[in-house]
Amino acid sequence: MPAPLSTATGSVATQPNSASSRAVLSLLTSLFFTWGFITVINNTLLPHLRSVFDLNYTETTLIESVWFIAYFFASIPSARLIERVGYQKSMVIGLGMMAAGALLMIPAARLPSYGVTLCALFVIACGITLLQVSANPYVAVLGSPETASSRLNLVQAFNSLGATLAPLFGAYLILGRSASGTAEAGHVLTQAEKLADAQAVQLPYLIVAGVLVILALIISRFPMPKMHHGATSRVSDSEREKLSLWKHRNLVFGIPAIFIYLIAEIGVANLFINFTGQPEIGGLNHEQGAHYLFLLWGGMLVGRFIGAWAMNKTTAERVLAFCAIGAFIVMMIAALGTGSFAMWALISVGLFHSVMFPTIFTLGIKGLGPMTEEGAGLLIMAIAGGALVVVQGWLADTVGLQHSFLLTAACELYVLFYAVWGSKTTNAFPDEKAG
C-alpha cells in the first residue's frame, strides 16, 4: 500500500494521482452545487411564506434562523458520524437527510403549516451541515496546502452556480405560479389564494428530493480516497493533550469571522427581494425581484472564479482585504442611497462576498497540523451565525428595511480586520509532505 498522504489540512489513506484528484473534485462540485442551490431556494421561499402566513420581517427571518441553528446543533454530531462511518458514507447520509426534509415540505404545504415548514427546513439544513463538515476539509486536503484557498474557492464557485440558478427555479416554479409572487405591491391575498400559494411549493421540492436521491446513489458507488483523522494518525494521545487550538490566532479570530460573515451574506440574500420591492428603491414585485437576485448570486459565481485565479498571483489575505473594503463601500451605498443606485450597490456585494467563506475557512485551519479536523468542525459550527439574521429582521421592523443593512456594513469591517491581522498564524505546524 502507498504511504499515507499527510498535510496540514488532514491526511488521505492513499495518495491520489492528479487524474483521480480531478475526478473526485469534479464529483464534489456536484455537492457544492446542490447545497448552494437548495440554500438559495429559501430566498425565494421566504417572501412567498411571508405572504402565505402573514409574517412580519422578524418572523420571516426566523425561518432562516432555524435553518442556520441546525449548523450549531448538527456540526459536532456530524463530526462524530464521520469518525464512525467515514467521509464518503457521511456524504451519502447527508444527501438522504436532505431528500427526507424536501419530501417533508409536501405535507407542510398541504396542511399548510408554518411549524411543519420549519421542521422540514431544519432537517434539510442538518443534511447540508453534514455535507459541509465532510466536503470542505476533504477538498482542502486533495492537493498542496499552498493552493488550498484557491482550490476551495474554485469548487465553491459551483456552489455559487447553484445559488445563481436557484432564484430562476424558484421564480418560475414558486413565485411565478403563485398569487403572492405575481401580485402588485400592497395586494392582500384571500384565504383561497393563500391555500393555493402554499401548495405551489410541492412540485419544486419533489423535484429536489428526486435529484438528491440520484446524487446519493452516484456518490455511494464512486471510488473516493479515504481520509484518516490527523489527530490519531500523526501524534499520540499523550502528545495531543499538550496541544491547544486556542494558541492559533488564525483559528481563534477565524471562528467569529465565519460567524459574522454569515450574518452579512444571509441578511442580504434573505431581504433582497423585499428590498427591491420598496417604492423608493425598485418597486418590483416578488417575481421580478427574484430575477435580480439571480444577478446577486451570479456575482458570487464570477467572483469565486476570479478569486481562485487571483490567489495564484497574490496572497489570500490581500484578496480577502480588498473584497472586505469593496463590500463595506457598496453596503453603505445600499443602506443610505436611493433608487437603482442603491439596488445595484446591493447586487454588487455578491461579487465581494464571493471569496469570503472559502478564504476564511482555509486561513482558519492553516498550520493546525494534527488539530485540523477539530478546527474545521468549529469553523463549520460558526456557520450558525446565519441564524442571527433574525437580528436584521428585527432592525428592519424597528428602523426600516434599508437602514438595517448598516449591520451588514459593520460585519464587513470585522472581515477586513481578520484579513489584515487576525489571520496571521501563530504556533503553526509546518506543512507535512507525502511520506
Side-chain angles (χ1 to χ4, degrees):
M1 175 183 289
L5 171 65
S6 299
T7 73
T9 52
S11 57
V12 177
T14 57
Q15 181 175 349
N17 57 40
S18 58
S20 65
S21 293
R22 285 195 296 271
V24 173
L25 283 175
S26 297
L27 178 63
L28 291 179
T29 58
S30 66
L31 294 183
F32 284 82
F33 175 92
T34 300
W35 82 59
F37 184 92
I38 293 175
T39 299
V40 175
I41 286 180
N42 283 0
N43 301 152
T44 54
L45 186 64
L46 293 188
H48 172 78
L49 294 178
R50 184 170 186 264
S51 298
V52 170
F53 294 114
D54 293 324
L55 308 177
N56 60 29
Y57 286 121
T58 303
E59 291 168 326
T60 303
T61 50
L62 179 61
I63 296 173
E64 194 74 349
S65 292
V66 166
W67 179 274
F68 283 95
I69 286 171
Y71 282 91
F72 180 81
F73 287 105
S75 289
I76 292 178
S78 293
R80 290 176 178 171
L81 179 64
I82 291 169
E83 288 183 21
R84 292 177 63 87
V85 304
Y87 284 82
Q88 186 169 3
K89 289 183 179 178
S90 294
M91 293 176 194
V92 174
I93 294 170
L95 288 165
M97 292 175 63
M98 292 166 64
L103 290 174
L104 189 58
M105 286 292 291
I106 295 175
R110 285 185 176 275
L111 289 171
S113 169
Y114 178 66
V116 177
T117 298
L118 292 180
C119 291
L121 293 176
F122 183 82
V123 172
I124 296 173
C126 286
I128 290 180
T129 302
L130 183 51
L131 292 184
Q132 290 264 28
V133 174
S134 55
N136 280 296
Y138 200 100
V139 168
V141 80
L142 284 176
S144 167
E146 289 78 13
T147 58
S149 287
S150 175
R151 190 163 53 252
L152 195 53
N153 268 286
L154 182 61
V155 295
Q156 284 277 356
F158 290 89
N159 179 275
S160 294
L161 177 60
T164 301
L165 297 178
L168 299 181
F169 178 86
Y172 178 72
L173 286 179
I174 298 177
L175 298 179
R177 298 170 60 243
S178 65
S180 64
T182 55
E184 296 299 325
H187 174 73
V188 179
L189 299 183
T190 66
Q191 197 60 36
E193 286 176 326
K194 290 180 181 180
L195 181 61
D197 280 10
Q199 295 178 352
V201 304
Q202 293 178 94
L203 176 61
Y205 277 95
L206 183 61
I207 294 172
V208 166
V211 171
L212 290 170
V213 169
I214 293 171
L215 185 55
L217 291 173
I218 294 172
I219 297 249
S220 68
R221 297 176 178 273
F222 198 88
M224 294 175 64
K226 294 181 179 179
M227 183 186 294
H228 289 308
H229 300 288
T232 58
S233 63
R234 284 173 283 172
V235 296
S236 67
D237 290 341
S238 60
E239 291 174 319
R240 173 64 187 85
E241 290 175 359
K242 300 176 183 177
L243 303 177
S244 173
L245 287 169
W246 311 116
K247 294 181 180 179
H248 296 265
R249 179 201 298 177
N250 52 308
L251 177 68
V252 170
F253 289 102
I255 294 169
I258 292 284
F259 190 94
I260 290 169
Y261 162 68
L262 260 294
I263 297 174
E265 179 187 308
I266 302 307
V268 169
N270 283 358
L271 297 175
F272 179 88
I273 292 177
N274 293 111
F275 179 79
T276 62
Q278 300 290 298
E280 65 275 15
I281 301 298
L284 307 178
N285 65 32
H286 289 170
E287 184 183 13
Q288 293 168 330
H291 285 88
Y292 282 93
L293 181 62
F294 164 82
L295 297 177
L296 172 72
W297 290 108
M300 293 194 72
L301 170 64
V302 172
R304 280 175 172 162
F305 280 117
I306 295 174
W309 170 82
M311 289 177 199
N312 287 317
K313 305 294 182 181
T314 186
T315 65
E317 292 89 342
R318 289 179 181 174
V319 175
L320 183 61
F322 172 81
C323 289
I325 293 171
F328 175 77
I329 292 172
V330 298
M331 287 312 306
M332 290 299 294
I333 294 172
L336 302 175
T338 58
S340 60
F341 189 53
M343 185 175 77
W344 283 102
L346 192 62
I347 291 171
S348 69
V349 79
L351 185 66
F352 298 109
H353 276 175
S354 60
V355 305
M356 289 188 180
F357 174 80
T359 304
I360 294 169
F361 183 87
T362 49
L363 291 174
I365 63 174
K366 185 177 181 181
L368 297 187
M371 297 181 291
T372 297
E373 289 79 10
E374 295 173 62
L378 291 173
L379 288 167
I380 296 298
M381 183 180 286
I383 294 175
L388 288 189
V389 68
V390 71
V391 174
Q392 187 167 355
W394 174 80
L395 285 173
D397 288 328
T398 305
V399 302
L401 176 59
Q402 185 174 11
H403 288 161
S404 74
F405 286 109
L406 290 171
L407 174 64
T408 311
C411 293
E412 316 295 0
L413 293 179
Y414 184 87
V415 176
L416 177 61
F417 156 77
Y418 182 72
V420 173
W421 188 83
S423 62
K424 297 184 183 299
T425 57
T426 53
N427 298 294
F429 285 84
D431 292 335
E432 298 174 7
K433 306 302 180 182

